[in-house]
Structures are given as structure tokens and as C-alpha cells.
Amino acid sequence: MRLRKSSTKQYQLKLSISMSHSNLQPRLDGNSSALLLLLALLLLLQVPDAGAGLTAASTPVPSSSASTTITEALQGQREAQITATRAASFAACLRSIKGFPEVRLPGTPNYRDYANGLRIIRWHLPAAVVYPKSVPQVQAAVLCAVKFKVQPIPRGGANSFESLSSGDGALVVDLSEMGAVMVDVKAMTATVQFGARMGNVYSAIYKAGVSAGKNLTCLGGVWPQVGIGGLTAAGGYGSLSRKYGVLADHILSARVVDAKARVLLTNEQSNPDLFFAIRGGGGGTYGIVVEATVKLVEVPVVTVAHIGYRGLDHAVDLMERFQRWAPSSPSELTFTYNLVRAGSDIKLYYLGREAELRQLIHQRSGLLAYPGAVFRAVECDVLGSRGWLAGSGWAPLSCKSDNVEVPQRVKPGGLLMKDREASKYRSAIFTKPVPREGLQEIVALLRSPEKIWKLFQWKAYGGAFDSIPASFNAFPHRKGVIMHSEFGTSFGYQRSAAELAASRARVVWDYFARAAAVMDKYATDARYNGYVCLCDDVAQYFGANYARLKAAKKKFDPGNVFRNALSVPPTGGDTSLE
């Protein structure tokens, strides 16, 4: 800090400042108190010249408002010093964790890339990011966060559409260094650390099964880069779901680090309320799930298939047929119906032979009844089928296992970075078909002139969903639901929504609002927690299970240490982060 003479010959104080997120904060040295007092006096006294002396007779008496200004300035300086000291102590706490996990702090190279995940509708500036490699290191990180009153946020796959796997001023506990998968073929289980990405889980299980002469897998989603933690927290609809349910239905036990840094075993007998909550009850809410044991299934053969229609001329008829037949089709068949501006793309995943599927589709589905239909099918082993599902439906149909394994870490310049996107999606749950006029409205949205990405996706229910009770775990969407939808748009890659030109961003927001209004007319009030949106109410994700989840939250995290904008609050609490 130094004094310089202004053009009006009055002295001004020039402070070195630093930008922290959106606030300007002064950097003050050890003489800050005296300098701030001098600053206040100089501004009050309006010194006319650097050489002018001050006498008792000529010195104005500071007014009460001037005294208040001085007091506030000194108080602000003291608070800044306390904040800086606290931040340094917090960083020292993290760096002193036994085994020295990697710690990233603001101001270090590429910090924004480490601080944020793969979905970047908004950027966050957390207080630190820590990469524990063991459960004791997770416990120690939680203790540091609680001691310094910093919000801990667990991060697994970092795929939250609302960027909830990071937060301003928070401690991001990134579990990507904890991705071990231990398979017990005899017991038909896998014990998985909850930093693992699903592609790596599938691959490890498959390799262990092949060595024992079995074709094994677990329940999961479609995209290999999705983390097992976030998928389990949402429920986990995937390519085997109409036969076996969701991933959360196959979790046998788990270990959770709670707000007191204890490791709690959860299963049907031990901490059953917590076990209920972590299976489909939302992510980052009840503690940090560090490991779970998952039940495996044997899948001897899979037929993957694709039905494609270019253009939207038959989209209404095709979707009308799909939503009336798919939920009642054999449970061995799971669908993903994508409707985009280019046309209809239906992916099919069948637990059986190609000839059986061809007969089913040609004779019973009615999905090939319209001109221009393209139907392709091929048999795969279970790992090869996972790889094809992750690709484009219009790509050459083949069994692909070389794109299933993915990097664990999101690193600057890394492979996962190419998928970093500011996307805006929402879910809808349907208990009856969308009427024809509703389908026409959806097609009209796709045909509207905005040159932006638009997607409406449907996944059929029925099958196992009709036989598993809604109270089995926190995932409530069971009997009576015929399909759920994911719909939305994108602001583009490698930038947040706020970084898009305002006029362009307005087009995206306006389209999303219109799409949501159309879907709301025909869907129920329920939502799927896998596609979170800040426009939702938390209770919509959990239906009749919401009260039990709030009670579990109050029991295991009454201080709401683990929280985000869409987490379940304790009974009697709310979702405020203040």
C-alpha cells in the first residue's frame, strides 16, 4: 500500500486488491490497522498539500459518523485477517492428513478445472478440492471441514446437471482415486469403492466373470463415465431395468462416513434407515458413501438393436405406438427412445437371441409400420453391448468393448474434458400415454426455428417395476408408471451458461421453459432424481418416501452438514444453505 498525490492534490490511498469469485477483497499487511486509520483520517481531513502541517487549531474534530467509518474500516480489516488466517489453517489441516492426499487450492494452476465437474451450467469456486485415496483420508477430510465450518461436498462422477458436485466456499471431496472393484464370483457380488465410474465397474466384473466361465455384470446406466455413487443416489435406471429393477435395488450393503467422521455399516439389519436413504434418496445428503457391495447378474447373451426414422413425419404415430406397447412388452426388453430434430432413434437392449427379438419387433411391436424404418440387430456379450449403447444409434451396429473403460479423474486436457458441457435437462414421470395433441406439441417444439440442441427421451417401465414395492428403497417410481422422460437442451461445451452471449442464452432459456410447460401438461408431478433441475421441488423426487427420508436425515445428519440445493432437509428443516 502506498500514498500518491491525486490530480486535485488530495492524497488517496491505493490498495492492492484481488478478485475472489465476484467480490473484491483488500490484501492487507501487518501494518494494516495503522494504515486504515491513516486512510480514514486523510479522507476526513481533506489534506490540501503533502507538506502542510497540522496543528491543534487547524485540525477538524472528527464527527460521530467519521468515528463510525473508522470503526467499520478497522472491523473489516480484522475480519479479513481472521478469514485469511482461517483459510490458511484449513489448508494446513487438509495437508496434514496422514498419507498426504492431493489437495488443490484457489490460485493454483488450472484450479477451475479441478474445482468443477463435467456438467458446468455454472462454475463454482470451492475453498479446496481434496482427493482421498482411502476411507481414513475421507474421515480426516470431513473432520477438517466440520472443524472449520466448511461445507463438505462428495464428488463421484461429477455429472450433476445442476453442477451440485461442487459449491462456492465448500470442500469438494473428490472420490475418483477410490475406484477399486473387488469381485467375488462365487458369491455373485462385487464390492465397489464409490469413486468408480460405471464403465470401469462393468469391465472389472466382466473380466472376473470370464475367468470363471461366466458372463457377469451389474445393474447400471448407459454412459460409462457416470459414477456409481451418483447413479445409486438417483436410483439408477439402465439397460437391464425392466428385467431386474434399478441399481439401488441391488445394493446389499454400504459403508458411509457421517458428519462425525464415523464409518457406519448400512444394510437391512445395521442402520436400516440410512441404508434405505442412500439407495435412491439423492446424492451428497446423508454422508459420504465410500463403498458398497452390489449383487451381480449373469447375462449369457444380449442382442442390441436400433430402429431409426429420418425426419419427423411419422414421429407422432411412432411415439403413440411406442408408449402404448413398450410398457407391456416382455421384461427382457429395455428401450431408450430419443426424439430429436433429425428424427426418431430407438435403442433396444434384449436379453436373448437376435432371432427372438426380430420376431418380437416384426410381429408384435408395430414400430416398423411406417415408411422409412431402418431396423438393425446384432448379438453381443454383455460388455460389448455396453459399449454400443454408449455410442450413437446411427453409428454402425457392432459390439464394442474398447470404449467401456474410461479415465477415473477429470483432469485439464484429459479425455473426459471433451464432454464438459453446460446442459439443462429436466425429468417427467408418466402414468398414462401422452395424448396425440401433446405429441404434436412436442414435435412442433423440435421443428421450431431455434438452432440449438433439443432432445426428448423416453424410457419404458413395466416389467420388474410392477413387482418391486415403492417402499423397497427411496426410489419411488414403481407400479403404475409407464415411462419417464428426460428432456432438455444445451448452452454448449467448455463454457457455462453465463458465458454464452446474452441474446443466445435467452433463446436457450426460452426454449427450455416452453418445453417444460408442454411436458408439465401431460406428466405427473413426480420427477426422477437422475435428471435434477433447480426448477423442481425436492419432494417431487421421492413421493411417499419423502417423510421417511427427512426422518433419516434428522437422525444421521441433524446439523445438515451434507447438503445442496436439492437435498432432503432434516425433519422440521428446509433446504436453505445459510
Side-chain angles (χ1 to χ4, degrees):
M1 183 170 66
R2 63 184 183 273
L3 292 174
R4 67 175 175 84
K5 186 179 287 187
S6 71
S7 59
T8 59
K9 296 186 179 181
Q10 294 178 345
Y11 281 87
Q12 298 177 336
L13 193 66
K14 190 173 184 180
L15 294 175
S16 171
I17 59 174
S18 65
M19 181 71 75
S20 174
H21 205 40
S22 60
N23 299 316
L24 291 174
Q25 297 179 339
R27 287 196 186 125
L28 304 168
D29 57 25
N31 298 318
S32 299
S33 297
L35 290 172
L36 278 170
L37 179 58
L38 176 60
L39 168 62
L41 288 171
L42 288 173
L43 293 175
L44 287 168
L45 298 177
Q46 296 289 295
V47 180
D49 188 270
L54 295 176
T55 66
S58 63
T59 303
V61 178
S63 65
S64 60
S65 61
S67 298
T68 301
T69 301
I70 295 171
T71 301
E72 290 176 348
L74 292 174
Q75 179 64 26
Q77 180 268 331
R78 283 193 293 268
E79 290 176 356
Q81 284 184 328
I82 292 170
T83 299
T85 301
R86 181 170 168 269
S89 299
F90 175 57
C93 184
L94 295 174
R95 285 174 167 158
S96 67
I97 293 174
K98 187 176 181 180
F100 305 108
E102 181 180 341
V103 177
R104 297 278 172 173
L105 298 170
T108 56
N110 300 308
Y111 184 67
R112 189 172 77 166
D113 286 337
Y114 289 104
N116 292 274
L118 296 177
R119 299 289 169 256
I120 51 169
I121 193 165
R122 61 188 59 81
W123 296 110
H124 289 293
L125 185 67
V129 182
V130 63
Y131 295 87
K133 295 183 178 181
S134 66
V135 174
Q137 289 184 350
V138 174
Q139 293 174 272
V142 170
L143 285 175
C144 287
V146 172
K147 178 180 179 180
F148 289 94
K149 295 182 172 58
V150 175
Q151 176 191 354
I153 298 179
R155 183 166 74 191
N159 283 284
S160 166
F161 282 129
E162 291 290 0
S163 306
L164 299 181
S165 59
S166 186
D168 295 330
L171 170 63
V172 175
V173 183
D174 188 297
L175 300 177
S176 57
E177 294 289 345
M178 298 175 62
V181 181
M182 295 152 283
V183 181
D184 186 333
V185 174
K186 185 176 180 180
M188 289 289 285
T189 62
T191 300
V192 184
Q193 288 186 318
F194 255 40
R197 297 185 185 275
M198 289 308 304
N200 302 331
V201 176
Y202 301 143
S203 182
I205 293 171
Y206 174 78
K207 290 175 182 178
V210 167
S211 67
K214 294 185 176 182
N215 209 359
L216 301 181
T217 192
C218 68
L219 274 288
V222 172
W223 301 106
Q225 66 267 39
V226 170
I228 188 172
L231 196 62
T232 301
Y237 186 105
S239 55
L240 300 170
S241 285
R242 295 192 66 251
K243 179 67 174 178
Y244 296 108
V246 295
L247 172 60
D249 299 336
H250 293 254
I251 302 294
L252 301 176
S253 66
R255 292 202 297 159
V256 182
V257 175
D258 72 357
K260 296 180 180 179
R262 301 173 299 182
V263 180
L264 303 180
L265 174 66
T266 70
N267 53 39
E268 293 290 356
Q269 291 75 40
S270 179
N271 298 305
D273 291 334
L274 182 58
F275 185 56
F276 174 87
I278 63 171
R279 296 176 298 147
T285 300
Y286 312 96
I288 300 179
V289 183
V290 291
E291 179 184 280
T293 298
V294 185
K295 181 169 59 177
L296 305 183
V297 294
E298 186 169 7
V299 181
V301 64
V302 176
T303 299
V304 293
H306 171 250
I307 299 172
Y309 283 87
R310 297 286 187 183
L312 297 172
D313 290 346
H314 304 291
V316 171
D317 293 331
L318 184 62
M319 183 58 203
E320 196 167 43
R321 176 58 185 164
F322 170 83
Q323 64 182 344
R324 295 182 185 279
W325 179 74
S328 61
S329 66
S331 61
E332 289 79 13
L333 183 57
T334 297
F335 307 81
T336 298
Y337 187 126
N338 296 308
L339 187 58
V340 296
R341 190 194 303 269
S344 297
D345 164 17
I346 306 175
K347 290 182 177 180
L348 304 96
Y349 194 92
Y350 181 66
L351 303 179
R353 294 291 178 183
E354 178 184 343
E356 298 169 2
L357 177 61
R358 286 187 176 276
Q359 183 178 21
L360 180 65
I361 296 301
H362 280 284
Q363 296 181 7
R364 294 173 56 186
S365 75
L367 297 177
L368 303 178
Y370 310 102
V374 176
F375 175 54
R376 302 170 296 162
V378 64
E379 288 184 10
C380 300
D381 61 35
V382 69
L383 191 65
S385 69
R386 297 282 193 189
W388 177 75
L389 277 175
S392 167
W394 290 100
L397 188 63
S398 63
C399 306
K400 292 178 65 66
S401 57
D402 58 351
N403 65 340
V404 175
E405 292 187 12
V406 293
Q408 278 289 118
R409 285 279 296 269
V410 178
K411 293 182 177 180
L415 180 64
L416 293 175
M417 277 291 185
K418 67 181 178 62
D419 292 325
R420 178 171 269 185
E421 181 184 13
S423 46
K424 184 67 178 179
Y425 282 87
R426 195 182 188 189
S427 65
I429 303 289
F430 296 87
T431 55
K432 57 184 179 181
V434 180
R436 190 171 183 85
E437 60 268 25
L439 298 175
Q440 290 170 338
E441 289 182 72
I442 291 169
V443 170
L445 283 167
L446 292 171
R447 283 178 164 155
S448 61
E450 307 92 348
K451 294 182 179 180
I452 59 175
W453 170 249
K454 304 174 184 179
L455 169 70
F456 290 88
Q457 181 183 92
W458 285 272
K459 294 181 178 179
Y461 277 54
F465 290 99
D466 290 344
S467 60
I468 301 174
S471 59
F472 181 70
N473 51 39
F475 180 83
H477 313 300
R478 306 290 185 170
K479 189 172 184 178
V481 174
I482 64 168
M483 59 186 179
H484 80 229
S485 175
E486 170 191 3
F487 64 94
T489 183
S490 174
F491 294 88
Y493 290 84
Q494 311 305 328
R495 63 186 176 196
S496 68
E499 291 172 296
L500 192 62
S503 58
R504 181 72 172 164
R506 194 176 305 114
V507 170
V508 180
W509 284 116
D510 288 349
Y511 166 77
F512 179 78
R514 298 200 322 272
V518 169
M519 296 295 271
D520 284 351
K521 285 197 291 185
Y522 305 107
T524 67
D525 288 334
R527 307 285 179 212
Y528 173 45
N529 193 43
Y531 315 128
V532 293
C533 178
L534 292 181
C535 53
D536 295 336
D537 183 277
V538 178
Q540 292 177 291
Y541 296 131
F542 308 114
N545 293 331
Y546 188 50
R548 184 175 177 183
L549 290 174
K550 289 198 294 182
K553 174 70 171 177
K554 184 175 182 179
K555 180 177 180 180
F556 292 98
D557 185 19
N560 208 21
V561 171
F562 296 99
R563 62 190 187 272
N564 58 61
L566 290 170
S567 59
V568 173
T571 299
D574 57 34
T575 55
S576 171
L577 302 188
E578 296 179 358

